[in-house]
Short mmCIF file of all heavy atoms in Angstrom, two decimals:
data_model
loop_
_atom_site.label_atom_id
_atom_site.label_comp_id
_atom_site.label_asym_id
_atom_site.label_seq_id
_atom_site.Cartn_x
_atom_site.Cartn_y
_atom_site.Cartn_z
N LYS I 9 -42.16 0.36 19.22
CA LYS I 9 -43.61 0.51 19.09
C LYS I 9 -43.94 1.47 17.94
O LYS I 9 -44.93 1.30 17.23
CB LYS I 9 -44.21 1.03 20.39
CG LYS I 9 -45.72 0.85 20.47
CD LYS I 9 -46.21 1.00 21.88
CE LYS I 9 -47.71 0.79 21.96
NZ LYS I 9 -48.09 -0.61 21.69
N GLY I 42 -58.53 -5.84 7.11
CA GLY I 42 -58.10 -6.91 8.00
C GLY I 42 -56.59 -7.06 7.95
O GLY I 42 -55.88 -6.30 7.30
N LEU I 45 -51.18 -11.28 5.50
CA LEU I 45 -49.96 -12.01 5.81
C LEU I 45 -48.83 -11.61 4.89
O LEU I 45 -48.97 -11.65 3.66
CB LEU I 45 -50.22 -13.51 5.70
CG LEU I 45 -49.07 -14.42 6.07
CD1 LEU I 45 -48.77 -14.32 7.56
CD2 LEU I 45 -49.40 -15.86 5.69
N GLN I 50 -42.34 -21.72 9.66
CA GLN I 50 -42.81 -22.84 10.49
C GLN I 50 -41.67 -23.53 11.22
O GLN I 50 -41.91 -24.36 12.10
CB GLN I 50 -43.60 -23.82 9.64
CG GLN I 50 -44.91 -23.21 9.14
CD GLN I 50 -45.68 -24.15 8.25
OE1 GLN I 50 -45.11 -24.88 7.46
NE2 GLN I 50 -47.00 -24.13 8.37
N ASP I 59 -49.27 -13.34 1.41
CA ASP I 59 -50.03 -12.74 0.32
C ASP I 59 -49.44 -11.44 -0.21
O ASP I 59 -49.71 -11.05 -1.35
CB ASP I 59 -51.46 -12.48 0.80
CG ASP I 59 -52.15 -13.75 1.23
OD1 ASP I 59 -52.00 -14.78 0.52
OD2 ASP I 59 -52.84 -13.76 2.27
N GLY I 96 -47.39 -24.31 15.84
CA GLY I 96 -47.02 -24.88 14.56
C GLY I 96 -47.77 -26.15 14.27
O GLY I 96 -48.75 -26.47 14.90
N LYS I 97 -47.30 -26.87 13.29
CA LYS I 97 -48.01 -28.06 12.85
C LYS I 97 -48.12 -29.08 13.98
O LYS I 97 -47.22 -29.24 14.77
CB LYS I 97 -47.28 -28.68 11.65
CG LYS I 97 -47.50 -27.93 10.37
CD LYS I 97 -47.05 -28.75 9.18
CE LYS I 97 -47.34 -28.04 7.88
NZ LYS I 97 -48.78 -28.01 7.60
N GLY I 99 -51.72 -30.15 14.62
CA GLY I 99 -53.16 -30.35 14.71
C GLY I 99 -53.76 -29.77 15.96
O GLY I 99 -53.06 -29.38 16.88
N ASN I 101 -56.24 -27.35 18.49
CA ASN I 101 -56.54 -25.96 18.77
C ASN I 101 -55.27 -25.21 19.13
O ASN I 101 -54.88 -25.16 20.29
CB ASN I 101 -57.57 -25.90 19.91
CG ASN I 101 -58.03 -24.50 20.15
OD1 ASN I 101 -57.56 -23.55 19.54
ND2 ASN I 101 -58.96 -24.35 21.08
N GLN I 102 -54.59 -24.66 18.16
CA GLN I 102 -53.33 -23.96 18.41
C GLN I 102 -53.36 -22.58 17.77
O GLN I 102 -52.76 -22.35 16.73
CB GLN I 102 -52.16 -24.78 17.84
CG GLN I 102 -52.03 -26.13 18.47
CD GLN I 102 -50.92 -26.96 17.86
OE1 GLN I 102 -50.24 -26.51 16.96
NE2 GLN I 102 -50.76 -28.18 18.34
N GLN I 104 -52.93 -18.59 16.86
CA GLN I 104 -51.80 -17.68 16.83
C GLN I 104 -51.97 -16.62 17.92
O GLN I 104 -53.06 -16.14 18.19
CB GLN I 104 -51.71 -17.01 15.46
CG GLN I 104 -51.36 -17.98 14.35
CD GLN I 104 -51.30 -17.33 12.98
OE1 GLN I 104 -51.12 -16.13 12.86
NE2 GLN I 104 -51.46 -18.14 11.95
N GLY I 107 -48.13 -10.08 19.09
CA GLY I 107 -47.49 -9.01 19.82
C GLY I 107 -48.34 -7.75 19.73
O GLY I 107 -49.43 -7.77 19.13
N TYR J 32 -60.98 -24.38 10.02
CA TYR J 32 -60.77 -23.90 11.38
C TYR J 32 -61.03 -22.40 11.39
O TYR J 32 -60.53 -21.69 10.52
CB TYR J 32 -59.33 -24.21 11.80
CG TYR J 32 -58.99 -23.96 13.24
CD1 TYR J 32 -59.66 -24.61 14.26
CD2 TYR J 32 -57.96 -23.10 13.60
CE1 TYR J 32 -59.34 -24.41 15.58
CE2 TYR J 32 -57.62 -22.89 14.92
CZ TYR J 32 -58.31 -23.55 15.91
OH TYR J 32 -57.98 -23.34 17.22
N TYR J 36 -60.90 -13.02 17.03
CA TYR J 36 -59.94 -12.24 17.78
C TYR J 36 -60.58 -10.91 18.14
O TYR J 36 -61.40 -10.36 17.41
CB TYR J 36 -58.68 -11.98 16.95
CG TYR J 36 -57.74 -13.14 16.82
CD1 TYR J 36 -57.93 -14.11 15.85
CD2 TYR J 36 -56.64 -13.26 17.66
CE1 TYR J 36 -57.05 -15.18 15.73
CE2 TYR J 36 -55.75 -14.32 17.54
CZ TYR J 36 -55.96 -15.27 16.58
OH TYR J 36 -55.09 -16.32 16.47
N LYS J 38 -59.58 -6.91 19.30
CA LYS J 38 -58.44 -6.01 19.21
C LYS J 38 -58.80 -4.62 19.75
O LYS J 38 -59.77 -4.01 19.31
CB LYS J 38 -57.97 -5.90 17.76
CG LYS J 38 -56.70 -5.06 17.60
CD LYS J 38 -56.29 -4.99 16.15
CE LYS J 38 -55.01 -4.17 15.98
NZ LYS J 38 -55.14 -2.79 16.51
N ALA J 41 -54.09 0.19 18.99
CA ALA J 41 -52.64 0.18 19.24
C ALA J 41 -52.17 -1.06 20.00
O ALA J 41 -51.10 -1.04 20.63
CB ALA J 41 -52.20 1.44 19.98
N GLY J 43 -52.05 -5.63 19.82
CA GLY J 43 -52.25 -6.77 18.95
C GLY J 43 -53.56 -7.47 19.25
O GLY J 43 -54.12 -7.33 20.34
N SER J 49 -62.44 -20.31 19.21
CA SER J 49 -62.31 -20.92 17.89
C SER J 49 -63.29 -22.07 17.74
O SER J 49 -63.92 -22.51 18.71
CB SER J 49 -60.88 -21.43 17.70
OG SER J 49 -60.59 -22.46 18.65
N PHE J 89 -62.25 -9.45 14.90
CA PHE J 89 -61.86 -10.01 13.61
C PHE J 89 -62.22 -11.49 13.57
O PHE J 89 -61.93 -12.25 14.51
CB PHE J 89 -60.35 -9.88 13.38
CG PHE J 89 -59.90 -8.47 13.11
CD1 PHE J 89 -59.37 -7.70 14.12
CD2 PHE J 89 -60.00 -7.93 11.83
CE1 PHE J 89 -58.95 -6.39 13.88
CE2 PHE J 89 -59.58 -6.64 11.58
CZ PHE J 89 -59.05 -5.87 12.60
N PHE J 96 -56.34 -26.81 10.42
CA PHE J 96 -56.60 -26.57 11.84
C PHE J 96 -55.75 -25.47 12.44
O PHE J 96 -55.25 -25.57 13.54
CB PHE J 96 -56.43 -27.87 12.64
CG PHE J 96 -57.52 -28.86 12.35
CD1 PHE J 96 -57.32 -29.88 11.45
CD2 PHE J 96 -58.77 -28.75 12.95
CE1 PHE J 96 -58.35 -30.78 11.15
CE2 PHE J 96 -59.79 -29.65 12.67
CZ PHE J 96 -59.58 -30.67 11.76
N ASN J 98 -52.85 -24.17 11.82
CA ASN J 98 -51.40 -24.21 11.97
C ASN J 98 -50.66 -23.58 10.82
O ASN J 98 -49.45 -23.61 10.79
CB ASN J 98 -50.95 -25.66 12.14
CG ASN J 98 -51.45 -26.20 13.45
OD1 ASN J 98 -51.43 -25.49 14.44
ND2 ASN J 98 -51.92 -27.42 13.44
N GLU J 99 -51.37 -23.04 9.90
CA GLU J 99 -50.74 -22.28 8.83
C GLU J 99 -51.38 -20.90 8.79
O GLU J 99 -51.98 -20.46 9.73
CB GLU J 99 -50.87 -23.05 7.51
CG GLU J 99 -50.07 -24.34 7.54
CD GLU J 99 -50.02 -25.01 6.19
OE1 GLU J 99 -50.57 -24.49 5.22
OE2 GLU J 99 -49.41 -26.09 6.10
N LYS J 100 -51.24 -20.22 7.69
CA LYS J 100 -51.64 -18.83 7.65
C LYS J 100 -53.13 -18.65 7.86
O LYS J 100 -53.94 -19.46 7.46
CB LYS J 100 -51.21 -18.20 6.34
CG LYS J 100 -51.84 -18.82 5.11
CD LYS J 100 -51.37 -18.09 3.85
CE LYS J 100 -52.08 -18.60 2.63
NZ LYS J 100 -51.68 -17.83 1.42
N GLY J 104 -60.95 -11.41 8.19
CA GLY J 104 -61.95 -10.48 7.72
C GLY J 104 -61.50 -9.05 8.04
O GLY J 104 -60.45 -8.84 8.65
#
Side-chain angles (χ1 to χ4, degrees):
Chain I
K9 196 164 181 68
L45 183 68
Q50 293 178 322
D59 300 317
K97 284 194 177 289
N101 186 356
Q102 299 177 0
Q104 293 178 22
Chain J
Y32 188 60
Y36 284 84
K38 185 180 181 302
S49 63
F89 288 98
F96 290 98
N98 293 320
E99 294 188 1
K100 62 179 185 176

